[in-house]
Amino acid sequence: MNYKQIGNKIREFRMEKNLTQEEFAEQIGISVSYVGQIERGQRKASIKTLESIGSRLEVPLPVLICELKEAEHISCIWNEKAEKLSVEDKKTMLIVFEMILDMLNANRKEERF
């Protein structure tokens, strides 16, 4: 495992949630200095700590510790969120998703002109 890469991912996900290291450390029950060391790749986090980190950041553990590309990461998140939905909710989400895609495509066409 590349601990520096894992730490960089953790930092990026933490910052996306607009959390300071202090807030994040408090929420997952570790020290601020430990968070900093993990993010810099200077310390190895236990699986339990990584699970806590992933849970708080809403990022599956495999995404934190594997070298997934951004598209794969998005697919993991999408699948994780979708599996919690009922079939009817999934159908509704698909309709909304298709509407959003239509709007994005229309905007792209307008930008070309």
Side-chain angles (χ1 to χ4, degrees):
M1 275 192 258
N2 183 333
Y3 294 100
K4 186 157 181 70
Q5 187 175 40
I6 292 170
N8 287 336
K9 283 185 179 184
I10 292 170
R11 178 183 299 113
E12 288 173 17
F13 290 126
R14 175 182 59 77
M15 293 176 78
E16 284 177 10
K17 297 281 184 187
N18 294 316
L19 292 169
T20 64
Q21 283 186 340
E22 292 80 10
E23 293 167 330
F24 185 58
E26 184 178 321
Q27 291 174 4
I28 60 173
I30 63 176
S31 71
V32 176
S33 62
Y34 189 32
V35 169
Q37 292 169 343
I38 292 170
E39 288 184 352
R40 291 187 300 275
Q42 295 171 333
R43 295 264 317 260
K44 299 176 185 178
S46 68
I47 293 296
K48 183 179 176 187
T49 299
L50 289 172
E51 286 174 340
S52 295
I53 289 169
S55 176
R56 173 56 191 95
L57 297 175
E58 300 176 339
V59 176
L61 184 60
V63 172
L64 285 180
I65 63 175
C66 298
E67 295 183 28
L68 295 178
K69 296 178 181 166
E70 185 175 7
E72 293 167 325
H73 170 249
I74 292 168
S75 292
C76 285
I77 291 173
W78 180 270
N79 291 336
E80 181 181 286
K81 303 283 185 189
E83 76 183 20
K84 298 174 187 175
L85 299 173
S86 68
V87 172
E88 285 304 311
D89 287 343
K90 287 178 183 177
K91 288 178 183 178
T92 302
M93 286 298 298
L94 183 58
I95 292 167
V96 171
F97 183 67
E98 288 173 342
M99 290 169 53
I100 292 169
L101 286 176
D102 289 344
M103 289 182 350
L104 289 172
N105 287 331
N107 285 340
R108 287 186 186 119
K109 288 178 184 175
E110 288 176 13
E111 289 174 0
R112 289 184 206 153
F113 295 107

